[in-house]
Amino acid sequence: SPYDTIPYVPPLTWDEAALRERTESLGFVEYATFDDVEPDWRRRVRASCFPPTEQETKEFQLHKSLRCLPQDMDSGGFYVALLKKVKPLGARATEKMNAMA
């Protein structure tokens, strides 16, 4: 069928040569850092597409969140984080919540 695809092989099982061959055969260009991106492509390939620095990881406590990428989950990219309520809502916020209910 015209819709047959190559069976999915998790990238962790690919060695560097196989991964490079696969991405090049599909016409992909890999950039190690945002600084490597050609100026003409910087409007599409943003700095936020690259992993955070070690300092940013510690500052934002990213170890407490999960980034879901569209190619992994067949969705739009988004972050998942568990938030903990540490104190009751204030009177004004409670009024707003009651009004919406």
Side-chain angles (χ1 to χ4, degrees):
S1 129
Y3 300 106
D4 286 341
T5 59
I6 299 170
Y8 177 73
V9 178
L12 294 177
T13 63
W14 294 355
D15 61 14
E16 284 295 319
L19 184 57
R20 186 170 32 264
E21 178 184 333
R22 172 84 172 156
T23 56
E24 288 174 1
S25 71
L26 294 172
F28 295 136
V29 176
E30 184 177 346
Y31 302 107
T33 66
F34 182 68
D35 295 332
D36 297 340
V37 178
E38 292 102 17
D40 293 344
W41 281 95
R42 290 193 176 182
R43 296 184 117 200
R44 289 188 177 220
V45 181
R46 310 272 180 154
S48 63
C49 294
F50 295 87
T53 63
E54 286 295 322
Q55 180 182 353
E56 290 172 330
T57 302
K58 291 176 185 173
E59 181 180 338
F60 301 132
Q61 299 183 11
L62 294 179
H63 63 281
K64 296 180 180 179
S65 69
L66 170 69
R67 183 175 186 188
C68 299
L69 300 175
Q71 67 269 24
D72 294 336
M73 304 292 180
D74 193 22
S75 66
F78 58 92
Y79 277 93
V80 177
L82 178 62
L83 304 176
K84 181 179 179 181
K85 184 175 170 184
V86 294
K87 63 181 181 178
L89 292 175
R92 189 168 159 200
T94 302
E95 288 175 15
K96 280 187 174 183
M97 290 297 295
N98 291 337
M100 292 182 354

